Amino acid sequence: MPKPADIGSKRLISLAPDRWVQWVTQIPDVQVRDIITSEFQWVSRESDVLVTAYTPQDGEFLVLNELQLRYKPQMPQRMRAYAALAEERYNKPTYPVLINILPPSPSVVIPTRYESQFRGLTARQDYHVINLWEVDAEIAFQQSLPSLIPFVPVLKGGGEEFAVRQALEVLRTDRQLSDLEPLLAFFASFVLETPLVQQIMRWDMAVLRESPWYQEILQQGMQQGMQQGMQQGLLSGIALGLELKFGIQGLELIPEIRQIQDVAKLEAIQSAIRTANSLDEIRQIL
């Protein structure tokens, strides 16, 4: 059994925290004092990283990094809550940053502030938004940002085979970055055919299953399934889960699964994908 990969947000930012904070804040002389580890539940989730930073002009302040696989409509309100909680907990001004990894549907507008009014009272929270699909892939290489290397396939201009190979070379030339290869493979699978990704990376989904990124996209597949009509939706969620977990071999089961009319059995298959270690376990259910 491969060792679980530590490829969450905190691990990525800790690779080069000063360069990361300089990039997200666009403050060239900012320095990182600490990456906060805390029991503070809203700001210690897998996708949140709270950093203490310093500049001579500003003194100490907090940089709240919220990485989202896909933008959610509740994010403006959540950014308001996180920023306020961080300021109250640590008594420092907070610079909130929302980093969206995968693009939403074209009709979705991503705001840069939360604002509400009630009986003449206004609540407002501004925050910085970075959409990775708008970030030039060359920035990851030219600015020596190792935290961005696994995201190269979903960056602007990074979805080609040569760019993925270049990112892989960067990871493999530094032993401290080698555990990020499965995450690079994961995002490459959104822009390249799975067999090509496997050929380039020789990746192992058993490692990636332990990451919060995989769990979130798998859960999204499940949720989408419920929204699209029970039976057809379940089939969509199952297909997504099988491909993410077992690669192209997982899709070989889809023709057989499509013959199943029993919703309860489809739900059982969908649930089993979360814990199954092999396709044989899924076949036993079939």
Side-chain angles (χ1 to χ4, degrees), residues 97-271:
V97 184
L98 172 61
I99 300 103
N100 298 303
I101 299 173
L102 299 177
S105 63
S107 61
V108 174
V109 176
I110 300 178
T112 60
R113 75 173 55 158
Y114 169 85
E115 188 168 356
S116 69
Q117 293 186 351
F118 179 71
R119 297 185 65 83
L121 301 178
T122 300
R124 172 173 168 169
Q125 174 66 59
D126 293 313
Y127 50 89
H128 184 42
V129 173
I130 298 175
N131 299 319
L132 289 190
W133 59 91
E134 298 173 349
V135 175
D136 197 314
E138 285 302 313
I139 289 176
F141 303 112
Q142 294 174 356
Q143 297 187 14
S144 298
L145 276 166
S147 306
L148 280 184
I149 295 297
F151 299 112
V152 161
V154 295
L155 301 184
K156 185 178 179 181
E160 302 295 332
E161 180 182 348
F162 76 89
V164 175
R165 290 187 181 275
Q166 184 181 0
L168 180 60
E169 183 178 356
V170 172
L171 297 183
R172 288 184 174 171
T173 54
D174 188 335
R175 292 183 61 183
Q176 294 184 339
L177 304 181
S178 61
D179 66 329
L180 300 179
E181 290 184 25
L183 188 57
L184 174 64
F186 176 59
F187 288 114
S189 68
F190 285 90
V191 296
L192 300 176
E193 295 293 332
T194 299
L196 177 57
V197 175
Q198 293 174 319
Q199 175 189 340
I200 295 171
M201 304 289 305
R202 301 181 184 275
W203 60 323
D204 189 342
M205 282 298 297
V207 175
L208 191 56
R209 285 202 302 270
E210 302 298 326
S211 80
W213 311 105
Y214 172 79
Q215 296 297 331
E216 183 169 347
I217 195 66
L218 181 59
Q219 181 62 32
Q220 285 184 4
M222 306 286 187
Q223 292 172 349
Q224 289 171 3
M226 296 300 292
Q227 295 169 359
Q228 294 171 0
M230 185 63 73
Q231 185 175 0
Q232 186 58 43
L234 284 169
L235 287 170
S236 299
I238 288 169
L240 177 59
L242 285 172
E243 182 175 11
L244 286 174
K245 193 161 189 178
F246 301 110
I248 195 169
Q249 290 83 5
L251 296 181
E252 294 174 0
L253 297 181
I254 294 301
E256 184 176 355
I257 293 174
R258 288 188 183 280
Q259 304 304 314
I260 299 174
Q261 302 296 318
D262 189 324
V263 170
K265 190 167 185 179
L266 289 174
E267 289 176 337
I269 295 169
Q270 188 182 55
S271 178

Side-chain angles (χ1 to χ4, degrees), residues 3-176:
K3 182 180 178 181
D6 178 12
I7 50 180
S9 305
K10 185 175 180 180
R11 159 77 170 121
L12 290 171
I13 291 174
S14 67
L15 293 171
D18 284 335
R19 288 198 292 272
W20 173 270
V21 172
Q22 289 164 7
W23 176 64
V24 298
T25 64
Q26 293 299 296
I27 304 174
D29 61 345
V30 67
Q31 301 172 12
V32 170
R33 292 283 177 86
D34 187 25
I35 298 180
I36 295 175
T37 300
S38 161
E39 70 284 355
F40 187 34
Q41 68 177 42
W42 280 26
V43 189
S44 61
R45 303 177 317 122
E46 291 289 353
S47 57
D48 296 327
V49 182
L50 194 61
V51 174
T52 303
Y54 170 83
T55 67
Q57 300 85 4
D58 303 304
E60 281 198 348
F61 62 99
L62 302 174
V63 179
L64 174 61
N65 302 269
E66 169 70 20
L67 279 80
Q68 282 293 308
L69 193 62
R70 292 189 189 275
Y71 175 77
K72 299 181 177 65
Q74 63 268 35
M75 284 313 304
Q77 189 174 28
R78 190 178 296 176
M79 295 300 290
R80 176 205 180 198
Y82 292 169
L85 285 167
E87 285 194 12
E88 181 185 28
R89 173 66 173 82
Y90 297 102
N91 195 30
K92 291 182 174 69
T94 300
Y95 188 95
V97 184
L98 172 61
I99 300 103
N100 298 303
I101 299 173
L102 299 177
S105 63
S107 61
V108 174
V109 176
I110 300 178
T112 60
R113 75 173 55 158
Y114 169 85
E115 188 168 356
S116 69
Q117 293 186 351
F118 179 71
R119 297 185 65 83
L121 301 178
T122 300
R124 172 173 168 169
Q125 174 66 59
D126 293 313
Y127 50 89
H128 184 42
V129 173
I130 298 175
N131 299 319
L132 289 190
W133 59 91
E134 298 173 349
V135 175
D136 197 314
E138 285 302 313
I139 289 176
F141 303 112
Q142 294 174 356
Q143 297 187 14
S144 298
L145 276 166
S147 306
L148 280 184
I149 295 297
F151 299 112
V152 161
V154 295
L155 301 184
K156 185 178 179 181
E160 302 295 332
E161 180 182 348
F162 76 89
V164 175
R165 290 187 181 275
Q166 184 181 0
L168 180 60
E169 183 178 356
V170 172
L171 297 183
R172 288 184 174 171
T173 54
D174 188 335
R175 292 183 61 183
Q176 294 184 339

